[in-house]
Amino acid sequence: MRRKGIKLYQRSNVVFLELLARQFPGCGNIVTFSQFLFIAVEGFIFEANFGRKRPAIPIRNYFIMVAMFFTVSVVNNYALNLNIAMPLHMIFRSGSLIASMALGIIILKKRYSVSKYTSIALVSLGIFTCTLMSAKQVASDSSLNQEDGPQAFLWWMLGIAALTFALLMSARMGIFQETLYQKFGKHSKEALFYNHALPLPGFLLLAPNIYQHAVLFNQSELFQVPVIGLTLPIMWFYLLMNVITQYVCIRGVFILTTECTSLTVTLVVTLRKFVSLIFSILYFQNPFTGWHWLGTAFVFVGTLMYTEVWNSLGPFLARCRRRRRPKEE
């Protein structure tokens, strides 16, 4: 039931994020700030007990983790300003398994089976296919003159570079978290709070952009919230719903890590991204060719291979057959 709830809130989160980005493409900073502020305030009250509860993991480790987390969040949201479409944004981020495996080999000296390396090849091929097709769409659909066309493509290339950097930084953060949890134990709620509270001063560097979009949000058309009858600018309503759904989604994932195996968590997150991608395409009618579908299939199948869900499915079906035999007899 909780897994279905996570997918539902993720789809809602994507809808409100794209509604915001379509109206104001440069609103990534105010969205990120709002998400961080909401989660930090909630954690300060309910997890940190108004600052009276000491962290189980030394605070200096959280500062390192937060620097990575803040950078990844800002860069991922800012990539939407660089001619990156939402479907490509989601597909690219789903390649986190590649980055995690690559850095695991380099930093932790891990070795993997042939099936794991095959999954890397499939996910890489899927991302390359979708990236290449999106590059052609930027060139053909931009409706710009010959002078502006190359400029749009260069902005798109910068967006791809930003997504690549965020992907690698996110993988490095995952390895850092893994070593911390092995040493100090798992404290998901505490990590959720400090990952969002400590970066808040960094948003002072983005204050002019945040204030600019707050003014633009105030100038949007008025909207009456159903049931409660409150009237407010519609962009603030979209932002509020995005923040709430993001909170429920990320909190659900953090709780899932303490209740399920890593295989189950990885599979749920992968399916969540895939369903969100399909929902974004259908709801907003984003351009999506057959090549995009092929690339998405490669990413999805490669991710499932990485989680070894096929190996788990066989014993599960065998147990189901054994349970059915007495009933049939």
Side-chain angles (χ1 to χ4, degrees):
M1 188 69 181
R2 176 167 288 156
R3 298 171 202 170
K4 294 180 180 178
I6 291 174
K7 295 175 189 177
L8 174 62
Y9 281 106
Q10 176 67 11
R11 291 197 292 271
S12 302
N13 181 259
V14 168
V15 169
F16 290 114
L17 178 59
E18 187 147 356
L19 287 170
L20 289 164
R22 286 196 168 204
Q23 188 70 25
F24 299 105
C27 68
N29 290 330
I30 191 173
V31 172
T32 306
F33 171 70
S34 301
Q35 293 172 352
F36 274 56
L37 181 63
F38 182 88
I39 295 175
V41 171
E42 188 275 340
F44 181 73
I45 297 172
F46 297 104
E47 172 60 27
N49 193 17
F50 295 94
R52 292 192 290 265
K53 180 181 177 181
R54 294 178 60 86
I57 298 177
I59 197 70
R60 63 178 181 275
N61 293 306
Y62 279 121
F63 275 108
I64 299 175
M65 189 187 306
V66 157
M68 298 179 182
F69 186 72
F70 177 78
T71 303
V72 169
S73 297
V74 171
V75 171
N76 271 326
N77 280 332
Y78 191 76
L80 294 173
N81 305 346
L82 302 174
N83 227 0
I84 298 295
M86 182 62 73
L88 176 60
H89 190 277
M90 297 168 64
I91 293 172
F92 209 97
R93 292 177 66 180
S94 69
S96 56
L97 290 175
I98 311 171
S100 297
M101 179 178 282
L103 293 186
I105 294 173
I106 297 173
I107 298 175
L108 301 179
K109 309 300 181 183
K110 290 185 176 181
R111 292 296 179 266
Y112 300 94
S113 62
V114 175
S115 64
K116 293 291 180 75
Y117 290 116
T118 304
S119 71
I120 284 185
L122 282 174
V123 176
S124 301
L125 181 60
I127 290 179
F128 175 78
T129 302
C130 292
T131 304
L132 182 62
M133 292 302 107
S134 294
K136 293 181 178 179
Q137 286 181 2
V138 168
S140 61
D141 298 342
S142 60
S143 66
L144 302 172
N145 56 42
Q146 292 182 352
E147 295 181 358
D148 291 338
Q151 183 180 5
F153 185 77
L154 288 176
W155 280 114
W156 179 85
M157 289 292 293
L158 184 60
I160 294 298
L163 288 177
T164 303
F165 172 80
L167 197 66
L168 294 174
M169 180 64 73
S170 178
R172 182 63 184 91
M173 182 180 68
I175 292 177
F176 184 71
Q177 285 178 316
E178 181 181 342
T179 57
L180 283 183
Y181 291 153
Q182 289 175 352
K183 185 176 181 180
F184 299 102
K186 294 184 177 182
H187 305 278
S188 59
K189 293 181 181 179
E190 178 183 292
L192 179 64
F193 165 62
Y194 283 102
N195 278 339
H196 289 82
L198 294 180
L200 287 178
F203 284 100
L204 291 174
L205 301 174
L206 308 172
N209 181 267
I210 294 173
Y211 176 77
Q212 175 190 2
H213 283 87
V215 173
L216 293 175
F217 282 15
N218 286 333
Q219 296 172 354
S220 61
E221 62 178 302
L222 295 178
F223 172 77
Q224 187 175 27
V225 182
V227 182
I228 63 176
L230 177 66
T231 300
L232 74 165
I234 193 169
M235 298 306 294
W236 285 115
F237 173 74
Y238 290 157
L239 180 62
L240 175 63
M241 297 306 296
N242 174 266
V243 168
I244 293 175
T245 52
Q246 171 67 12
Y247 166 74
V248 175
C249 180
I250 193 169
R251 185 176 175 85
V253 171
F254 269 71
I255 293 175
L256 204 62
T257 60
T258 63
E259 296 184 355
C260 303
T261 64
S262 58
L263 170 64
T264 304
V265 175
T266 305
L267 181 59
V268 170
V269 173
T270 302
L271 292 175
R272 185 197 71 186
K273 291 177 180 179
F274 184 73
V275 172
S276 299
L277 170 67
I278 302 302
F279 188 81
S280 173
I281 294 165
L282 297 178
Y283 187 85
F284 291 102
Q285 298 180 349
N286 285 311
F288 216 71
T289 66
W291 286 105
H292 285 90
W293 283 114
L294 181 62
T296 303
F298 283 148
V299 171
F300 188 59
V301 173
T303 304
L304 291 181
M305 287 184 63
Y306 180 88
T307 60
E308 297 181 349
V309 68
W310 317 116
N311 296 339
S312 301
L313 188 60
F316 173 76
L317 294 176
R319 288 195 299 269
C320 291
R321 285 194 295 267
R322 285 196 298 268
R323 291 175 181 175
R324 290 179 59 186
R325 283 175 185 171
K327 297 181 181 180
E328 293 175 355
E329 295 172 356

